[in-house]
């Protein structure tokens, strides 16, 4: 900080000196003309001193963004002639620009990064891809004020070296014109003489040249991509959507809502993973498991503890019933009524405009379409452990049917994976009577959350009876004397853990093969690669949901569905970049863990000057009435500023409570606004208001309060 203040003071002093010595008057056309004889004389006497002095002055004027750089460029021509003047002015202006760029970076970047982290990150991303290109364009056109370009570029993540060489190259033409004009200084009446209207137009055209060239390159690229395919003259559909999970359902619904002719193709069950194998069944079993736990610990509510009496089969039947009850929301009938044509079959992309549907009876049909949206989702990843296939395992895809066959919950269940899915299911099955061992290779479960959140989750799962083994690496599966074992490595030691059932929950990999991506050369790297508009290599083929990432959630798939539909149908008119700024998620362990925005670890990683406001649910009346006081709200704000950067909530109903912060972040509302909002009493949502109140207390204007105290004392007499 001190260094920054010193630098700022130095800059102010130099600027002050510049004006004090009337250099601003000297650096005008008349000033220059009037002093030319003296300068020329001085140059004759001590050429090196004049060259050096001139160079330093030029660098300083540019570095401090002072007026007069154009005059100095003329002076270079007048004093040193075309060649020498050009070399001096070119290097001095580039070096000065670099200094200005560095000063701006040093003084401004950090504080802007703290204030607008997401916006700056987005700008940095653009600069990383096209920064040099844009800078070059700006430099070519001398109508953009150079000092502004230097300052603005300094705030971005553009590399200094790139800034330097692109600036020097980009300014060559402009510098040459001014230096050349300077060689005939006497004939120049005003600065606008130098850059005639025609010359400016030429420069603008020159500046536009890279953009035009880019457009041509894009056109050639597009041609190359589409080159080997024949585009149909007419299309059967406006849009074909592959996969009827959250991503595909929303895409096709939006397309139908705006009256496009859209076909949705689903090879498996309507509703995709979320309805059939994911969110819905898992939340159903979580509820049964929670009730069982409450019966077991009924003393919390003044009742007698009892061992819950239940049939595991019926619990699983309920899970299937819940799925069946939700299914009409995603059904063929519903979507047909909404105007979507639904085809039950396997889709394959044959060319950028043709999709083939293979039906169960062996027949096929081809549809031509203007755009295609791939929403084929992800499947559980099964680690290639030796022996795993022989000993058998379940995944989130198969467990619901496999466990429905069991009379009792598996006696010994090993859950492989300490992420959200593994943790939710480990806790649920432990509460339903299984002896659960959860194995995680990393040093803690739910590694994406802050350490204290992981620790909290670990405690909660342990209380439910889960044996958590972190820093344990699964090596292989074996059968010995009819018993199944998984062998894990911990501290270089091998440990054998017996199980009846092994649940693999180590992540989910995108479905990338078998439906045409390979043949079309659509780029993949664990997921389908798209740009920010969700366009794949082919700008008329889009991808949404788990197949594209970067978040594997139903609500994100749905969010992307909107962009895929709108860009797919109207992208030739206007395209929308997917907005990932405010994405919430919840892990439904008990108590729940919900998050939006950054957590503390990420704030540190990004170098943000942050502060934390905490509210403990022990203080909340409703949590006390519900005997559920464990948990907290943790809000991250930039130091001293009412701007929410991220929130983590650990508590009952955390997934619902986070919604208020999501709304606030999305619409730029701070904690003051939450504090000023009435929340009904006694509710869990009041916790949000109390968290905001905590922040307000920590930022109370102490001096004003001291004065107020004095005022009230005086009023009492
Ligand atoms: C156990 C578990 C719990 C979860 N809990 C939550 C939660 O609580 N909250 C949350 O937000 N997310 C949760 N998720 C994640 C959520 O399920 C996914 O993010 C979501 O389903 C992604 O939707 P999608 O449309 O991308 O893909 P999917 O839902 O996977 O849909 C893709 C569909 O495409 C079909 N398909 C694939 N290839 C073809 C083809 N060639 N032709 C025709 N059809 C094809 C598939 O059959 C599938 O139905 C959970 C996931 C699991 C496994």
């Amino acid at each position: 900080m001190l260094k920054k203040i010193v630098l700022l003071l130095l800059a102010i002093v130099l600027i002050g000196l510049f004006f004090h010595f009337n250099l601003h008057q000297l650096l005008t056309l008349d000033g220059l003309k009037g002093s030319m004889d003296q300068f020329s004389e001085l140059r004759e006497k001590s050429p090196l001193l004049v060259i050096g002095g001139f160079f330093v002055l030029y660098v300083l004027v540019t570095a401090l963004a002072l007026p007069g750089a154009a005059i100095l460029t003329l002076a270079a021509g007048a004093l040193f002639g075309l060649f020498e003047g050009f070399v001096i002015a070119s290097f001095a202006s580039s070096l000065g620009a670099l200094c200005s760029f560095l000063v701006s970076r040093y003084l401004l970047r950090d504080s802007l990064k703290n204030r607008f982290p997401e916006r700056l990150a987005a700008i940095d991303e653009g600069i990383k891809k096209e920064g040099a290109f844009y800078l070059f364009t700006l430099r070519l056109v001398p109508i953009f004020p150079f000092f502004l370009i230097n300052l603005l570029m300094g705030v971005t993540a553009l590399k200094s070296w790139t800034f330097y060489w692109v600036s020097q190259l980009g300014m060559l033409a402009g510098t040459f014109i001014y230096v050349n004009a300077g060689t005939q200084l006497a004939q120049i009446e005003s600065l606008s003489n130098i850059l005639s209207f025609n010359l400016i137009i030429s420069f603008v055209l020159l500046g536009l040249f890279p953009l035009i060239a880019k457009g041509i390159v894009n056109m050639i690229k597009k041609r190359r991509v589409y080159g080997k395919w024949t585009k149909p003259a007419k299309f059967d559909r406006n849009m074909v959507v592959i996969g009827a999970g959250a991503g595909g359902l929303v895409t096709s619904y939006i397309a139908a809502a705006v009256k496009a002719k859209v076909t949705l193709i689903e090879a498996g069950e309507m509703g995709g993973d979320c309805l059939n194998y994911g969110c819905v069944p898992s939340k159903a079993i979580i509820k049964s498991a929670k009730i069982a736990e409450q019966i077991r610990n009924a003393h919390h509510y003044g009742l007698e503890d009892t061992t819950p009496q239940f049939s595991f089969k019926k619990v699983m039947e309920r899970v299937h019933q819940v799925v069946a009850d939700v299914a009409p929301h995603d059904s063929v009938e519903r979507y047909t009524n909404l105007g979507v044509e639904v085809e039950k079959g396997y889709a394959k992309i044959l060319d950028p405009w043709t999709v083939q549907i293979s039906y169960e009876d062996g027949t096929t049909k081809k549809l031509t379409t203007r755009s295609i949206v791939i929403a084929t989702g992800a499947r559980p990843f099964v680690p290639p452990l030796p022996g795993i296939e022989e000993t058998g395992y379940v995944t989130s895809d198969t467990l619901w049917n496999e466990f429905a066959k069991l009379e009792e919950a598996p006696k010994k269940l090993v859950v492989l994976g300490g992420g959200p899915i593994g943790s939710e299911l480990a806790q649920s099955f432990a509460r339903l009577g299984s002896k659960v061992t959860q194995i995680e290779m990393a040093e803690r479960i739910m590694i994406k959350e802050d350490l204290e959140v992981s620790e909290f989750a670990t405690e909660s799962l342990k209380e439910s009876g889960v044996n958590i083994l972190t820093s344990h690496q699964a090596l292989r599966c074996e059968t010995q004397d009819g018993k199944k074992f998984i062998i894990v490595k911990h501290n270089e030691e091998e440990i054998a853990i017996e199980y009846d059932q092994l649940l693999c929950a180590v992540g989910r990999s995108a479905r990338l093969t078998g439906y045409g991506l390979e043949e079309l050369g659509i780029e993949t790297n664990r997921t389908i690669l798209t740009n920010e508009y969700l366009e794949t290599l082919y700008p008329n083929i889009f991808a949404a949901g788990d197949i594209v990432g970067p978040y594997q959630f139903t609500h994100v798939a749905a969010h992307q569905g909107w962009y895929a539909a709108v860009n797919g149908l109207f992208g030739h008119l206007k395209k929308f970049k997917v907005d990932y700024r405010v994405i919430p998620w919840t892990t439904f362990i008990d108590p729940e863990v919900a998050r939006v925005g950054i957590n503390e670890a990420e704030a540190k990683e990004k170098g943000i000057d942050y502060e934390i406001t905490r509210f403990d649910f022990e203080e909340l009346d409703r949590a006390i009435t519900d005997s559920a006081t464990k948990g907290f709200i943790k809000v991250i704000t930039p130091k001293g500023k009412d701007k929410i950067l991220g929130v983590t909530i650990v508590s009952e109903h955390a997934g619902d409570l986070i919604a208020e912060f999501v709304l606030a972040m999305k619409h730029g509302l701070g904690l003051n606004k939450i504090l000023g909002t009435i929340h009904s009493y006694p509710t869990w949502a009041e916790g949000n208001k109390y968290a905001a109140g905590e922040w307000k207390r920590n930022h109370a204007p102490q001096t004003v309060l001291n004065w107020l105290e004095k005022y009230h004392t005086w009023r009492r007499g």
Side-chain angles (χ1 to χ4, degrees), residues 324-342:
D325 290 344
V326 178
H329 301 167
D330 299 348
S331 65
V332 174
E333 294 71 34
R334 173 153 188 253
Y335 275 77
T336 308
N337 287 339
L338 288 168
V340 177
E341 180 194 52
V342 183

Side-chain angles (χ1 to χ4, degrees), residues 238-239 250-262 370-373 533 535 539-542 561-577:
N238 297 98
M239 180 172 274
V250 172
T251 308
S252 56
Y253 166 64
I254 307 257
V258 294
K259 302 295 173 201
K261 195 162 184 190
V262 54
R370 265 211 178 270
S371 57
I372 298 171
V373 176
Y533 305 106
E535 289 170 357
N540 74 317
I541 303 183
F542 298 77
W562 183 90
Y563 289 92
V566 172
N567 290 339
L569 294 171
F570 304 110
H572 54 293
L573 304 172
K574 163 98 183 118
K575 284 195 265 191
F576 294 86
K577 286 184 188 173

